[in-house]
Amino acid sequence: MVTCTPRSSTAPWRRALPVIGLVAVALLSACGSSSKKPQPAELPAVAALMGTQLVWSAQVGEGHASLAPLVAGGRVFVAGGAGNVAALDAATGKDVWRLNLGTPIAAGVGADGQTAAVVTRNNQLVAIADGAERWRVRLPARSFTAPLVAGERVFVLTADRVVTAFDGKTGARLWSQSRPAEPLVLSQTGALLAVGDTLVVGLAGRLTGLNPDNGSVRWEAPVATSRGTNEVERLVDIVGPVSRIRNSVCARAYSAAVGCVDASRGTVVWTRAAQGTTGVHGDDRLVFGSESDGRFQAWQRATGEPAWSIDRLKYRGLTAPLALGRVVAVADSRGLVHLISREDGSEMTRLTTDGSPILAPPVLAGDALVVQTRNGGVFAWRPQ
């Protein structure tokens, strides 16, 4: 049985407050435009309504959007595109272990605290335990989504919309489930997570619940339906990350919709048209995300009704967000992390990194906010 523990508490970020995420997307076909991109507006002076402290930093090597930090078992697992994989102590940022696989990495890291897994650019799934390679197997297609390590198994979603389960100790293939595929897929992180004893995966515009023991389909819930006159317009893949609160899973269908699904019953609670291309995050009351132009907004989790939106971060290349306590963190292509109020989107403070783009969403490690930049810098802040 696959199990999933609740998200770490965000209470320190709540106490620190006074009273009061665009990843570049590349289609596997060549699509382009010669029009000049709109320039982001100048940011006002930092509000600094809450205090933060940079508590540690590390370096893992240049990365890309499919290499996102992952927190498990008191460790922050990170990878660089050239082949470095590391487990960092979440409290200090020091190496627990570090391994160079000697080959470029395409997607990762997935981990359960002990076993970590990545996918290389030559389509090999590699499992690592205690800083040593445990096994590797070749996949039939590329993958842009970090493997899921859970229940002593490793689950992989490949770009051909096939989900495969492997034995976590030996790498033996246990089962594979394929769904109908469109001609195009996104070179972007998808959705793959455990909700109780169900494996939830994004396949085309649907969230699909699978039996993790054999891959059989338990339910399918459409977030968006393919429409349009050409293959690009009909592309509605689910993009990660998603927001899970107990049995509620909220997700974005690429450039089409945002919606929430009851994963215990496999039913759609609501969907709403939205033009964003990065994932969402949220809490028990709100879901947060940005549109493709950088307009950042919140929806009511229960109904999908808009709660608020802000325009001051438009055209800044926002990541998917991270909700933590009374603030929402979202990073941008200029290497900045914006902490904004959960209640109305007003600015609380702004954090700086090494100045290179932040392509993957922030994560929470205990009481520390962690981001990884394209240049490979890993930065952790705590509230004061």
Side-chain angles (χ1 to χ4, degrees):
M1 180 173 76
V2 178
T3 60
C4 190
T5 57
R7 189 170 53 185
S8 299
S9 170
T10 60
W13 290 87
R14 180 176 291 109
R15 290 195 299 268
L17 286 168
V19 178
I20 2 195
L22 181 64
V23 173
V25 178
L27 294 178
L28 297 185
S29 64
C31 305
S33 171
S34 60
S35 61
K36 186 177 180 180
K37 292 183 179 179
Q39 295 300 303
E42 292 294 325
L43 293 172
V46 180
L49 296 179
M50 67 175 292
T52 61
Q53 179 184 11
L54 180 67
V55 290
W56 58 260
S57 62
Q59 174 62 232
V60 72
E62 187 171 345
H64 50 78
S66 293
L67 299 179
L70 181 133
V71 180
R75 299 173 179 180
V76 180
F77 293 86
V78 292
N84 284 319
V85 185
L88 309 177
D89 184 283
T92 66
K94 296 185 180 301
D95 284 7
V96 178
W97 55 257
R98 183 175 291 247
L99 176 66
N100 191 325
L101 295 177
T103 186
I105 299 175
V109 180
D112 61 1
Q114 298 300 318
T115 300
V118 298
V119 179
T120 69
R121 287 189 183 174
N122 60 0
N123 300 347
Q124 289 185 320
L125 171 65
V126 183
I128 304 164
D130 298 321
E133 182 177 323
R134 175 177 281 179
W135 51 260
R136 67 171 67 194
V137 297
R138 182 168 294 279
L139 301 173
R142 300 175 69 186
S143 178
F144 304 103
T145 302
L148 172 67
V149 183
E152 298 186 348
R153 280 161 285 182
V154 180
F155 302 93
V156 177
L157 170 63
T158 46
D160 55 357
R161 298 182 178 86
V162 175
V163 185
T164 307
F166 299 88
D167 185 281
K169 294 182 178 179
T170 67
R173 180 179 173 276
L174 302 177
W175 55 259
S176 184
Q177 173 65 256
S178 62
R179 309 300 292 161
E182 287 77 21
L184 295 181
V185 295
L186 290 171
S187 56
Q188 185 171 338
T189 297
L192 184 63
L193 68 153
V195 181
D197 65 348
T198 297
L199 179 67
V200 178
V201 59
L203 296 172
R206 304 177 300 275
L207 285 174
T208 301
L210 303 179
N211 183 333
D213 294 328
N214 55 28
S216 62
V217 177
R218 289 176 171 169
W219 51 260
E220 291 186 320
V223 176
T225 303
S226 294
R227 295 192 177 104
T229 58
N230 57 58
E231 293 172 350
V232 175
E233 291 177 348
R234 289 194 293 270
L235 189 61
V236 291
D237 276 337
I238 300 294
V239 296
V242 302
S243 172
R244 182 215 168 185
I245 301 292
R246 296 178 290 277
N247 289 324
S248 170
V249 179
C250 301
R252 182 186 297 278
Y254 174 80
S255 198
V258 169
C260 289
V261 168
D262 183 337
S264 64
R265 297 181 295 175
T267 56
V268 176
V269 179
W270 60 264
T271 62
R272 181 171 291 271
Q275 293 299 311
T277 57
T278 56
V280 298
H281 202 251
D283 53 29
D284 57 358
R285 189 166 69 85
L286 297 172
V287 178
F288 308 96
S290 61
E291 296 295 85
S292 55
D293 64 359
R295 181 168 57 89
F296 193 83
Q297 64 185 89
W299 299 270
Q300 299 288 344
R301 190 179 196 100
T303 64
E305 291 298 315
W308 51 259
S309 67
I310 58 172
D311 290 334
R312 69 175 182 275
L313 301 179
K314 288 180 71 172
Y315 309 117
R316 298 199 65 85
L318 300 180
T319 66
L322 171 70
L324 60 167
R326 294 293 299 277
V327 297
V328 181
V330 62
D332 70 19
S333 62
R334 306 294 178 93
L336 297 176
V337 183
H338 307 268
L339 298 184
I340 61 180
S341 168
R342 167 186 180 270
E343 298 303 321
D344 58 10
S346 58
E347 182 181 63
M348 302 305 298
T349 194
R350 196 181 306 151
L351 310 174
T352 59
T353 59
D354 56 19
S356 66
I358 302 171
L359 304 177
V363 296
L364 187 65
D367 62 350
L369 171 67
V370 178
V371 300
Q372 180 177 342
T373 70
R374 187 174 65 185
N375 284 354
V378 186
F379 300 85
W381 296 269
R382 289 196 181 99
Q384 290 182 315

